[in-house]
């Protein structure tokens, strides 16, 4: 453990173990740092979301733990066997996906590593779109080295979408629904998205990086204003816009990663059928009229009837043909 991480942990431990004020001097002595270093560390902890009261002549008192997915708290809270054993956290990143891809490429054996950013300056979405990622969202990428046949990799985004949908539902009570291929929706509006990057050989997966973006505590108009003007995309929402209050992102990240591990193991131990079944349980689009889009143009219209074993969307067209859609965007008529 790095020296500064140990000092921060010592300080937090001291503050957490006392109900009353602890003087700056006592904190300094116990953590082996100067009083001005204590003051700086307290300021940093407040920036990371801890609520710490200070009273002249009395010292400091911890009144609220952080709701942010900072790695030292997330690691402590996680009940997983491999996901999140290593966590990289950035206040600002270009894109967690790009960071994860570069780590996965350079450092084989990074299975389970999680990269989280409070803010992304250049977040990536599907189909080469930009993903608007202001502070307040949950933006993360997970490196996996799945030992599954290459043909099953198309089911990995399903695993992530199921995990995100379950986690949002558990932490907020919002009745989320999945929309093919892997959007998490609430009330017909997009709440979260999944991105998959894979490096594979003919018969072997080297690594996969799953990117998960959840519009958590964000004013949804900030995002939709920037997106809809550009491409006439589907409607966007956020957790806080729907519930009227902020979700604890530390809790959300914990549940999300635990669900991700559970369904990832399900995928690796079985043939993929239980994943498709679980996905179908969480969608309301089957049986509805859909348009398969290419940009703003509808390429096919019909009824969504099933999800095939490879994850493709099965559509019965208006001409009565059955077709499988492998990739792209779909508009659903509710
Ligand atoms: C989509 O277009 O629906 C997928 C969006 C995925 C966004 C996430 S946020 C964390 C990770 N880093 C990125 O740059 N993109 C993904």
């Amino acid at each position: 453990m790095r020296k500064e991480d140990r000092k921060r942990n010592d300080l937090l431990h001291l503050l957490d173990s006392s109900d009353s004020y602890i003087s700056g001097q006592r904190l300094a002595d116990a953590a082996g740092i100067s009083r001005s270093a204590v003051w700086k560390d307290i300021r940093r902890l407040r920036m990371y979301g801890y609520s710490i009261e200070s009273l002249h002549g009395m010292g400091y008192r911890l009144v609220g733990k952080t709701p942010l997915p900072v790695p030292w708290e997330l690691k402590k809270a996680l009940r997983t066997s491999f996901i999140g054993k290593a966590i990289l956290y950035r206040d600002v990143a270009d894109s967690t996906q790009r960071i994860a891809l570069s780590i996965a490429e350079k450092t084989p054996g990074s299975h389970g590593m999680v990269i989280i950013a409070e803010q992304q300056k250049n977040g990536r979405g599907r189909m080469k779109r930009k993903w608007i990622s202001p502070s307040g969202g949950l933006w993360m990428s997970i490196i996996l080295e799945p030992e599954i046949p290459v043909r099953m990799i198309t089911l990995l985004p399903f695993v992530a979408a199921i995990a995100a949908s379950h986690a949002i539902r558990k932490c907020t009570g919002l009745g989320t629904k999945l929309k093919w291929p892997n959007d998490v929706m609430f009330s017909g509006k997009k709440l979260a998205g999944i991105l998959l990057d894979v490096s594979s050989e003919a018969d072997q997966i080297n690594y996969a990086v799953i990117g998960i973006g959840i519009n958590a505590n964000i004013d949804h108009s900030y995002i939709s204003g920037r997106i809809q003007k550009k491409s006439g995309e589907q409607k966007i929402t956020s957790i806080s816009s729907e519930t009227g209050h902020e979700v604890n992102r530390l809790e959300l990240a914990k549940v999300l990663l635990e669900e991700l591990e559970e369904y990832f193991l399900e995928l690796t131990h079985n043939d993929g059928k239980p994943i498709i079944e679980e996905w179908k349980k969480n969608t309301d689009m089957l049986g509805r009229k859909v348009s398969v889009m290419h940009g703003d143009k509808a390429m096919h219209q019909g009824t969504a009837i099933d999800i095939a074993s490879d994850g493709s969307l099965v559509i019965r067209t208006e001409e009565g043909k059955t077709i499988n859609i492998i990739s792209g965007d779909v508009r659903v008529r509710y």
Side-chain angles (χ1 to χ4, degrees), residues 202-223:
D203 58 351
Q204 183 199 311
I205 298 162
N206 300 325
Y207 59 81
V209 173
I210 300 185
I212 305 178
I214 302 182
N215 300 332
N217 305 326
I218 295 171
D219 178 358
H220 71 281
S221 57
Y222 177 88
I223 300 181

Side-chain angles (χ1 to χ4, degrees), residues 94-98 120 122-127 129 131 133 138-141 182-183 190 192-195 210-214:
D94 169 62
S95 151
T96 58
Q97 198 75 0
R98 288 195 192 92
Q120 297 185 117
N122 212 355
R124 277 179 56 212
R126 284 178 60 240
M127 324 276 284
R129 293 188 190 111
W131 184 260
S133 324
L138 186 58
W139 322 125
M140 59 163 74
S141 297
N182 37 49
D183 291 345
K190 183 157 166 172
I194 310 294
L195 182 68
I210 300 185
I212 305 178
I214 302 182

Side-chain angles (χ1 to χ4, degrees), residues 15-53:
L15 287 165
D16 201 17
S17 53
S18 166
D19 288 336
S20 50
Y21 285 90
I22 309 182
S23 73
Q25 190 58 57
R26 233 188 94 203
L27 287 171
D29 291 346
I33 52 179
S34 67
R35 283 193 64 171
S36 76
V38 167
W39 182 80
K40 276 190 199 142
D41 284 350
I42 295 278
R43 200 175 53 174
R44 200 167 307 130
L45 285 173
R46 283 181 178 142
M47 265 161 43
Y48 280 121
Y50 293 89
S51 186
I52 301 169
E53 273 179 6

Side-chain angles (χ1 to χ4, degrees), residues 12 45-46 48-52 62 64-67 70 72-73:
L12 270 173
L45 285 173
R46 283 181 178 142
Y48 280 121
Y50 293 89
S51 186
I52 301 169
L62 181 67
K65 286 202 167 176
T66 181
V70 288
W72 54 92
E73 295 290 354

Side-chain angles (χ1 to χ4, degrees), residues 34 76 128 176 234 261 291 312:
S34 67
K76 236 187 336 184
K128 300 211 167 98
T176 49
Q234 61 189 342
E261 181 168 297
S291 306
S312 58

